[in-house]
Amino acid sequence: MESAEKLNNGKKEIGGSSYLNRNCWLVKNLNYAPYKRCQYCEYKFRNCLFLQYQVISLFLIVFIFLLFLLIDKTISALVVITVFALVIIYGYFFNNSTEKIIKANFFQKKAKDALKELTDHLEQRVGEQTKDIQEKAVRLEKLLKMRSEFLDIASHQLRTPTSVIKGTLSMMKEGDMEKMPVEEKTRFIEGMFQKSVKLEGIIDDILVASEMDTANFDIKAEDKIELDKFVEKAVSEHQFDAQEKKLALTFEKLSNGPFKIKGSAKYLEQVIDNLLNNALKYTPQGSISTTIKNDEQNVIVAVKDTGIGIPKTDVGKIFNKFIRGQNARNVYTDGSGLGLFIIKRVMDQHPGSKVWVESEEGKGSTFYLQFPLLK
Amino acid sequence: MPAFKILFIEDDPDQIFLYTTKFKLEGYNFICAKNGIDGLKLAEKEKPNLILLDILLGNESGIDALKNLKTNKKTKDIPVIVFTNFTKKETVEQSLALGAVDYIIKSKVVPSEIVKKVAETLSKKRVK
Ligand SMILES: Nc1ncnc2c1ncn2[C@@H]1O[C@H](COP(=O)(O)OP(=O)(O)O)[C@@H](O)[C@H]1O
Ligand SMILES: [Mg+2]
């Protein structure tokens, strides 16, 4: 082993049993740093063919030298010549083939590395894409869930008035009405009529809301609107309903303007209509005052009523679809819970605009719409 | 024979009116509660023979009401028929798993049919 070490020009590696092989073809020809491990023969004598050859040669030289000293000179001369010839021939081929093996090993290793890098890269790419697809699938699933939730609730909303109408009609058909006092009959017919009106309203709301419920609902908020005139007109259209309920419905400008904004006239009409309808519906007595004002940046519309107000626990939810306030349901059965959802979705489509509510249960509510002023 | 007592947990006044009228015409003692909490209280106090329960009580879930009815010592043996227009599959399965004896869609049955269902459920209960 000692000779091997010498031949090696060896340097012991810390903690390792292998020796640096400076004669290694790789070390010499491929600028392998001497402190690096040879990756093919691992510097170990038993593994390095090239090194084995050198050691065998050394032993042979020593052996021949001994022969010279000890045995008959002519015999030893013959032996020496034969051995040297063998060594040279053997060495030539051996050297060549070692080099070839090491070279082949080297390129094989290189190819393997390249392939590994490629597969690693490919794996990473595939991984990234799988992640992307997974994310998309999750999003799609969420959308589908939203959709089916929408359908579940929408179908419930549609079935409810239908079941009352159908139920009443079947009782009429089966002769139950004859057994009833007149007031009950009237109540039944009145109920049926109201449910059919409700049914129609729900169908309209559902159509609009389902259009808005899609992720790519996008309205063109491009009309130039004089908001004061716009709101005033809507208010005047609700005067008849207000008078029927004996409610004072007013409109007032709290500042001098301008009140010009950019938006979708078609959808904003619906927004203001929904706000006024709610105020009328949820105000048993008192008044509804609509105001508009501006500052340097914004125009703010407020619809203030003296109605039933919104319980604190409901305030955070009422802009969600199909959500109706607890107190609202106790008093007014008609309503789809879509009005404020529609408002929110439309306002979200107006850049820089927002809607919010301030309310106290039992005292009243104020709904605000804010738009950036068009300069 | 004293009239059977039915408790109807439902928040829509028009439906309360419709089914109250029908069940009273058929000779039942029909009482109503507008939400799950009142429903449970009334069930404890009145000990009805059967409960008809809506699942979408506004923002409140009838599933919670069903859970409460089925875990309360005083009410757990009263048969509950879920009677609703909410058709979500999971809700149907969940209700039956929680111990509802039946899940009936309102718009699929006319009042006389639900009366019949109730009568059937009550007679089955008596045979047991
Ligand atoms: N002006 C108001 N006063 C009191 N409550 C209101 C008012 N406007 C809206 N709400 C509450 O918000 C809920 C949602 O309103 P909306 O989406 O328009 O549905 P709907 O009016 O059909 O119930 C109502 O059910 C009610 O509880
Ligand atoms: Mg509304």
Side-chain angles (χ1 to χ4, degrees):
Chain A
M1 230 22 234
E2 208 178 279
S3 48
E5 212 172 303
K6 223 183 275 167
L7 258 175
N8 263 343
N9 221 343
K11 169 184 161 197
K12 213 168 195 163
E13 287 195 7
I14 305 161
S17 60
S18 44
Y19 297 90
L20 188 67
N21 182 359
R22 280 189 193 283
N23 291 325
C24 177
W25 182 85
L26 285 172
V27 176
K28 281 201 299 212
N29 296 318
L30 292 164
N31 298 327
Y32 256 61
Y35 50 83
K36 268 194 180 167
R37 273 165 161 259
C38 170
Q39 301 182 30
Y40 309 105
C41 59
E42 294 183 316
Y43 312 146
K44 279 180 192 163
F45 176 66
R46 65 182 144 80
N47 291 335
C48 184
L49 295 173
F50 194 59
L51 192 57
Q52 276 173 15
Y53 165 66
Q54 310 256 343
V55 175
I56 292 164
S57 311
L58 182 82
F59 274 115
L60 280 174
I61 290 164
V62 174
F63 173 67
I64 290 157
F65 187 66
L66 287 176
L67 271 181
F68 263 113
L69 292 181
L70 300 174
I71 312 171
D72 181 279
K73 284 202 173 122
T74 46
I75 298 174
S76 40
L78 261 173
V79 173
V80 166
I81 290 161
T82 334
V83 165
F84 265 102
L86 281 174
V87 164
I88 285 162
I89 294 162
Y90 172 70
Y92 176 76
F93 286 114
F94 191 62
N95 215 350
N96 255 356
S97 62
T98 314
E99 222 172 283
K100 271 187 200 138
I101 290 168
I102 294 177
K103 251 186 195 164
N105 273 350
F106 177 75
F107 287 116
Q108 200 181 357
K109 169 84 175 160
K110 231 182 151 170
K112 248 191 217 158
D113 282 352
L115 202 71
K116 183 157 186 314
E117 200 174 307
L118 196 76
T119 41
D120 281 356
H121 183 67
L122 213 72
E123 249 165 47
Q124 192 191 337
R125 278 284 300 278
V126 170
E128 274 164 17
Q129 270 175 13
T130 314
K131 211 173 137 216
D132 195 47
I133 292 170
Q134 266 167 355
E135 268 164 24
K136 278 194 183 128
V138 168
R139 267 221 310 277
L140 194 70
E141 203 176 314
K142 219 165 126 190
L143 269 175
L144 284 176
K145 204 172 155 226
M146 253 169 75
R147 198 103 214 111
S148 86
E149 218 166 78
F150 187 98
L151 282 179
D152 280 333
I153 301 179
S155 66
H156 171 266
Q157 299 286 80
L158 291 170
R159 279 208 172 90
T160 298
T162 313
S163 67
V164 172
I165 296 168
K166 195 172 151 194
T168 312
L169 288 172
S170 98
M171 281 172 73
M172 281 180 171
K173 210 173 108 191
E174 287 163 16
D176 284 337
M177 285 292 180
E178 277 119 65
K179 304 172 204 156
M180 282 180 211
V182 181
E183 314 87 69
E184 269 188 22
K185 277 183 206 161
T186 325
R187 167 86 163 80
F188 262 116
I189 291 167
E190 180 60 30
M192 231 179 3
F193 178 72
Q194 268 171 20
K195 288 289 183 198
S196 48
V197 172
K198 185 182 171 179
L199 196 56
E200 195 191 2
I202 290 172
I203 290 169
D204 290 346
D205 282 355
I206 285 177
L207 282 177
V208 177
S210 80
E211 178 197 345
M212 291 180 175
D213 208 29
T214 55
N216 51 4
F217 168 65
D218 192 6
I219 61 179
K220 286 189 188 61
E222 309 268 82
D223 306 323
K224 295 192 173 76
I225 301 168
E226 304 279 354
L227 201 58
D228 53 335
K229 293 193 189 103
F230 196 81
V231 174
E232 191 169 16
K233 182 165 166 270
V235 169
S236 72
E237 277 164 11
H238 285 83
Q239 281 302 347
F240 180 78
D241 293 334
Q243 274 160 23
E244 276 223 314
K245 281 193 82 177
K246 300 193 168 56
L247 295 170
L249 174 60
T250 58
F251 171 77
E252 196 185 345
K253 288 186 206 179
L254 300 180
S255 64
N256 293 325
F259 302 110
K260 205 168 185 165
I261 63 152
K262 211 163 113 180
S264 156
K266 177 181 147 203
Y267 283 105
L268 287 182
E269 207 170 297
Q270 184 152 20
V271 165
I272 292 164
D273 193 52
N274 284 358
L275 279 187
L276 290 170
N277 278 338
N278 277 351
L280 285 165
K281 186 157 79 181
Y282 299 118
T283 307
Q285 64 213 10
S287 62
I288 296 152
S289 55
T290 314
T291 57
I292 189 166
K293 68 176 180 192
N294 72 300
D295 57 26
E296 264 137 53
Q297 264 89 43
N298 299 304
V299 183
I300 296 174
V301 176
V303 180
K304 183 178 159 88
D305 66 52
T306 59
I308 59 173
I310 300 160
K312 281 215 163 51
T313 48
D314 287 337
V315 169
K317 307 181 207 155
I318 52 172
F319 287 98
N320 295 340
K321 58 177 172 285
F322 297 119
I323 298 296
R324 306 198 60 214
Q326 189 65 48
N327 58 343
R329 259 175 304 114
N330 288 342
V331 194
Y332 307 96
T333 54
D334 62 319
S336 60
L338 286 171
L340 290 179
F341 169 73
I342 291 170
I343 292 175
K344 180 83 171 58
R345 289 291 278 166
V346 171
M347 292 302 281
D348 285 347
Q349 291 285 323
H350 284 75
S353 303
K354 58 179 176 178
V355 53
W356 72 99
V357 62
E358 284 166 11
S359 181
E360 197 178 330
E361 192 176 0
K363 292 231 167 114
S365 321
T366 311
F367 283 85
Y368 296 93
L369 302 173
Q370 180 181 305
F371 302 89
L373 191 61
L374 183 66
K375 284 169 199 165
Chain B
M1 187 184 77
F4 284 117
K5 195 186 275 178
I6 311 291
L7 170 62
F8 188 30
I9 306 178
E10 164 66 60
D11 68 332
D12 176 10
D14 288 336
Q15 295 181 52
I16 292 176
F17 179 71
L18 173 69
Y19 295 108
T20 307
T21 311
K22 180 63 187 177
F23 273 87
K24 284 198 169 149
L25 277 177
E26 301 292 333
Y28 285 87
N29 182 357
F30 202 74
I31 54 177
C32 301
K34 280 202 164 191
N35 57 55
I37 298 157
D38 290 353
L40 185 66
K41 274 191 218 147
L42 213 60
E44 280 181 351
K45 198 173 123 225
E46 297 281 337
K47 303 238 169 346
N49 302 91
L50 185 142
I51 296 171
L52 289 173
L53 171 68
D54 192 4
I55 279 297
L56 268 199
L57 300 161
N59 303 343
E60 196 190 335
S61 152
I63 289 287
D64 291 337
L66 182 58
K67 267 185 210 156
N68 291 338
L69 284 167
K70 283 294 157 192
T71 47
N72 186 307
K73 250 190 253 135
K74 292 184 199 159
T75 59
K76 71 178 186 341
D77 293 324
I78 306 171
V80 177
I81 294 180
V82 174
F83 187 46
T84 184
N85 275 315
F86 197 55
T87 47
K88 192 172 172 180
K89 210 172 123 241
E90 288 88 7
T91 311
V92 179
E93 284 162 4
Q94 204 183 356
S95 305
L96 296 177
L98 282 170
V101 293
D102 211 342
Y103 194 107
I104 298 173
I105 310 299
K106 281 173 187 161
S107 66
K108 300 271 183 224
V109 296
V110 296
S112 54
E113 285 167 331
I114 183 69
V115 170
K116 224 159 98 194
K117 282 266 185 197
V118 166
E120 270 170 30
T121 311
L122 288 171
S123 68
K124 259 189 230 155
K125 168 105 177 144
R126 251 218 315 230
V127 169
K128 274 190 201 165

